[in-house]
C-alpha cells in the first residue's frame, strides 16, 4: 500500500512536469521570438535616428500619440511592469494581451525619435502579457498563473540581455525585497533558457561586453587585494545612493507631471522641449536612446566606458537627467539599460578618482546601480558574471551588495513588497502592501517626529 501511494505521487509529479514543459516551451519560444523582433526593430530605429537627425523634432508628436493611444485603447496596459508584479502578488484583472504590441511599438517609437529609455521593461511586459494570455486560455488557477507570470518575466529578461541565469533569478528576486520565490526556480530557469536560445536561433545577437583588466598576483594577507576591495566597497555605497536618487527622482518628477500637467498626453510634449533644449545646450546627442553605441565618433557610450583608461566625470549625470525626464513624462521603454550607462559612467568617474582601473569600476557600476535601483543584488552579480566572466566575481558581488544596502527601500518598481526590511525600522513593513504605499504610510506616520531611516 505504501509503495502504491509512493508511485502515485511520483506519477503526479511526472504529469505536472509534462504539463509545465508543454506550456513553458512554446510560451518561451513565443516570448523569445517577440523579443527578437523587438531587438531587431530597436537596432533599425537607432540606426535611422543617426541617419536622419531631424527625427528628434518628431519627439513631441510621438510622445503625444503614444500617451493618447495608451489612454484611449491601452486599458490596464498603462500599469506596465508594476501591473505584472501586482498580479503575481494579488491576482485581479489579469495582464492584458494587448500590453505586448503596445509596449513594443511605443518603445521602438521612443527610440526612433531620441527618447532616453531602455529595453528591459519592454521585454518583461511582452513576457508577462503573453504569459497572462496563455494562462487565461488554459484557465489556470491562481498559483499556476503566478508561476506562469514569473516565467514570462524570466523569459523576457533573459532573452533581451542574453543572460538567462540572471533572468531566472531576477524574476524570482524582484517580487519581494529580502526573499526569493524558490517555488518557481526550475520553471523560471527553463523559460529563461528557451527564450534566450530562441533569440539566438533567429540570428539576433547581443552586444558583447568585456573588460581588459586582469588582477596580477597579489601578495599580502592571504593573497587578497584588501585596498582594491575597500575602494570597491566605497564605490558600491555611492552606486547605491545614485540608484536611490534615480528611483526617487523618477517617482517625484512623475508626481510633479501629474500635479501640474493634468492632461497626460501633454506631458511628453513639454518633456520633449526640455530634452531637445538640453541637446542643443550641450551640443551633443550622446544621451539620447540606449547609449550602448553611437555612430558619432567621440560620443560617450556604454561600450566605450568599458575600455581601459577612460576619463569622464559628467556623463552619468546627463544620462540620469535625460532618462528621468523621458520616462517620467510618459515615454515608453525600460530603465535598466540607461542604468547600465549611468553606473558604468559613474564607475569611470570613481575609478579615475580612486586609482582603480576604470574598466573594472565601470563593469561594477554597470550592474551595481541596477542592483540598487531594483533591489535584486543576486541577479545582478550573476548578470555581471555572465557578461564579464567570473574573474572579478568578488568585486562585482561587493559592489552589488553594498549598492543594495545603500539604496534603502527605494525602487524603480513601486509594486515590490518588503519581506525583510534592509534596516531596523520603527514601523515594520507589511508584505501585503506594495512598496510605494508602504513608503507613503511611513511618511504620514512619521509626521511630527523624527522619521526612521529609509
Amino acid at each position: 500500500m505504501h509503495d502504491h501511494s509512493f508511485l502515485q505521487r511520483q506519477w503526479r509529479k511526472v504529469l505536472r512536469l509534462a504539463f509545465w514543459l508543454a506550456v513553458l516551451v512554446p510560451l518561451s519560444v513565443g516570448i523569445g521570438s517577440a523579443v527578437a523582433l523587438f531587438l531587431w526593430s530597436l537596432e533599425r530605429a537607432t540606426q535611422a535616428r543617426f541617419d536622419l537627425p531631424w527625427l528628434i523634432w518628431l519627439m513631441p508628436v510621438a510622445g503625444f500619440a503614444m500617451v493618447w493611444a495608451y489612454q484611449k485603447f491601452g486599458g490596464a496596459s498603462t500599469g506596465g511592469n508594476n501591473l505584472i508584479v501586482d498580479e503575481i502578488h494579488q491576482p485581479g484583472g489579469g495582464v492584458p494581451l494587448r500590453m505586448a504590441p503596445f509596449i513594443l511599438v511605443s518603445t521602438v517609437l521612443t527610440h526612433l525619435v531620441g527618447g532616453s529609455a531602455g529595453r528591459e521593461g519592454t521585454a518583461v511586459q511582452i513576457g508577462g502579457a503573453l504569459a497572462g494570455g496563455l494562462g487565461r486560455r488554459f484557465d489556470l488557477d491562481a498559483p499556476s498563473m503566478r508561476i506562469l507570470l514569473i516565467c514570462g518575466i524570466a523569459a523576457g529578461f533573459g532573452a533581451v540581455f542574453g543572460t538567462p541565469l540572471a533572468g531566472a533569478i531576477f524574476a524570482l528576486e524582484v517580487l519581494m525585497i529580502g526573499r526569493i520565490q524558490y517555488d518557481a526556480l526550475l520553471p523560471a530557469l527553463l523559460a529563461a533558457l528557451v527564450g534566450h536560445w530562441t533569440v539566438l536561433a533567429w540570428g539576433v545577437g547581443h552586444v558583447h561586453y568585456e573588460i581588459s583588466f586582469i588582477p596580477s598576483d597579489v601578495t599580502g594577507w592571504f593573497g587578497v587585494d584588501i585596498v582594491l576591495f575597500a575602494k570597491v566597497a566605497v564605490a558600491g555605497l555611492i552606486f547605491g545612493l545614485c540608484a536611490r536618487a534615480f528611483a526617487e527622482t523618477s517617482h517625484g518628477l512623475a508626481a510633479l507631471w501629474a500635479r501640474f500637467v493634468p492632461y497626460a498626453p501633454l506631458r511628453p510634449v513639454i518633456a520633449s522641449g526640455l530634452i531637445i533644449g538640453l541637446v542643443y545646450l550641450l551640443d551633443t546627442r550622446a544621451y539620447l536612446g540606449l547609449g550602448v553605441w553611437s555612430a558619432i565618433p567621440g560620443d560617450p557610450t556604454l561600450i566605450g566606458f568599458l575600455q581601459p583608461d577612460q576619463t569622464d566625470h559628467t556623463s552619468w549625470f546627463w544620462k540620469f537627467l535625460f532618462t528621468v525626464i523621458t520616462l517620467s513624462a510618459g515615454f515608453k521603454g525600460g530603465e535598466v539599460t540607461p542604468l547600465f550607462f549611468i553606473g558604468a559612467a559613474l564607475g569611470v568617474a570613481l575609478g579615475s578618482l580612486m586609482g582603480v582601473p576604470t574598466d573594472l569600476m565601470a563593469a561594477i557600476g554597470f550592474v551595481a546601480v541596477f542592483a540598487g535601483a531594483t533591489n535584486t543584488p543576486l541577479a545582478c552579480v550573476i548578470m555581471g558574471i555572465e557578461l564579464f566572466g567570473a574573474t572579478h566575481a568578488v568585486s562585482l558581488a561587493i559592489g552589488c551588495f553594498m549598492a543594495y544596502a545603500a539604496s534603502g527601500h527605494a525602487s524603480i518598481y513601486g509594486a515590490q513588497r518588503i519581506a525583510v526590511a534592509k534596516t531596523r525600522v520603527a514601523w515594520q513593513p507589511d508584505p501585503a502592501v506594495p512598496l510605494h504605499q508602504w513608503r507613503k504610510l511611513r511618511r504620514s506616520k512619521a509626521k511630527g517626529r523624527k522619521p526612521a531611516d529609509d
Side-chain angles (χ1 to χ4, degrees):
M1 185 70 178
H2 176 74
D3 290 342
H4 181 68
S5 176
F6 172 79
L7 290 175
Q8 283 185 328
R9 290 197 301 271
Q10 301 312 308
W11 178 244
R12 285 196 294 268
K13 289 180 181 178
V14 170
L15 290 177
R16 185 156 183 82
L17 176 61
F19 167 77
W20 281 114
L21 284 172
V23 170
L24 287 180
V25 170
L27 171 64
S28 302
V29 169
I31 293 171
S33 299
V35 170
L37 173 62
F38 167 62
L39 291 174
W40 179 86
S41 302
L42 195 59
E43 191 72 12
R44 304 287 83 74
T46 301
Q47 187 62 60
R49 178 169 56 82
F50 284 117
D51 294 340
L52 306 170
W54 54 265
L55 284 172
I56 191 176
W57 295 104
L58 297 180
M59 191 184 300
V61 178
F64 183 95
M66 73 176 66
V67 174
W68 179 85
Y70 259 91
Q71 283 196 321
K72 186 74 173 177
F73 307 108
S77 299
T78 55
N81 292 354
N82 286 312
L83 173 65
I84 300 172
V85 175
D86 277 332
E87 283 294 319
I88 293 173
H89 285 297
Q90 296 176 328
V95 181
L97 188 59
R98 76 185 76 174
M99 176 184 281
F102 262 83
I103 192 62
L104 193 156
V105 172
S106 60
T107 301
V108 172
L109 184 58
T110 294
H111 285 275
L112 180 66
V113 297
S116 178
R119 50 195 172 178
E120 135 279 339
T122 305
V124 167
Q125 290 176 52
I126 288 172
L130 295 182
L134 186 63
R136 288 191 297 276
R137 174 73 65 176
F138 282 102
D139 195 24
L140 297 181
D141 57 20
S144 298
M145 179 65 86
R146 174 177 168 276
I147 291 177
L148 198 63
L149 288 174
I150 290 174
C151 292
I153 294 175
F157 192 99
V160 78
F161 293 121
T163 55
L165 298 182
I169 300 301
F170 175 83
L172 303 168
E173 192 179 17
V174 74
L175 305 176
M176 301 280 286
I177 297 176
R179 181 182 299 163
I180 295 180
Q181 309 293 310
Y182 284 107
D183 57 337
L185 186 60
L186 287 177
L189 178 59
L190 174 63
L193 287 170
V194 174
H196 169 58
W197 293 336
T198 301
V199 170
L200 297 181
W202 280 108
V204 177
H206 298 282
V207 177
H208 178 65
Y209 301 105
E210 63 180 17
I211 55 178
S212 60
F213 172 72
I214 298 178
S216 58
D217 292 335
V218 178
T219 59
W221 292 355
F222 310 107
V224 176
D225 193 339
I226 298 295
V227 174
L228 174 63
F229 290 163
K231 290 179 179 179
V232 170
V234 172
L237 289 173
I238 298 172
F239 292 141
L241 294 175
C242 178
R244 177 172 180 163
F246 182 90
E248 299 281 10
T249 304
S250 297
H251 297 317
L253 191 54
L256 288 177
W257 284 119
R259 179 179 179 183
F260 293 105
V261 188
Y263 186 54
L266 189 58
R267 297 169 196 165
V269 175
I270 299 173
S272 298
L274 295 175
I275 292 170
I276 294 172
L278 284 171
V279 165
Y280 284 92
L281 177 66
L282 300 174
D283 193 25
T284 180
R285 300 188 177 209
Y287 308 114
L288 302 176
L290 282 174
V292 174
W293 62 274
S294 175
I296 303 173
D299 273 357
T301 64
L302 189 52
I303 295 175
F305 294 138
L306 296 168
Q307 301 302 311
D309 303 321
Q310 298 295 304
T311 303
D312 189 324
H313 295 105
T314 60
S315 287
W316 69 271
F317 171 77
W318 293 117
K319 187 63 173 178
F320 182 114
L321 187 60
F322 273 73
T323 305
V324 295
I325 292 174
T326 298
L327 296 178
S328 66
F331 285 98
K332 299 302 178 180
E335 298 93 342
V336 173
T337 305
L339 285 171
F340 290 164
F341 184 110
I342 293 166
L346 183 56
V348 167
L350 293 175
S352 62
L353 292 173
M354 300 170 71
V356 177
T358 58
D359 52 343
L360 172 63
M361 196 64 89
I364 297 169
F366 184 114
V367 290
V369 172
F370 174 35
T374 58
N375 296 301
T376 57
L378 296 180
C380 291
V381 173
I382 293 172
M383 170 176 273
I385 292 173
E386 287 186 291
L387 293 176
F388 305 112
T391 302
H392 306 289
V394 174
S395 295
L396 292 167
I398 292 172
C400 289
F401 293 168
M402 294 298 288
Y404 169 77
S407 65
H409 295 113
S411 175
I412 58 175
Y413 304 131
Q416 277 183 325
R417 269 64 166 174
I418 304 177
V420 180
K422 295 185 186 182
T423 57
R424 189 175 179 181
V425 292
W427 186 31
Q428 290 300 317
D430 180 354
V433 177
L435 183 60
H436 66 92
Q437 292 183 12
W438 179 76
R439 288 172 60 84
K440 289 180 180 178
L441 290 170
R442 276 194 67 198
R443 282 194 292 268
S444 63
K445 199 174 183 70
K447 284 185 178 179
R449 59 180 174 86
K450 184 178 179 180
D453 291 334
D454 270 346

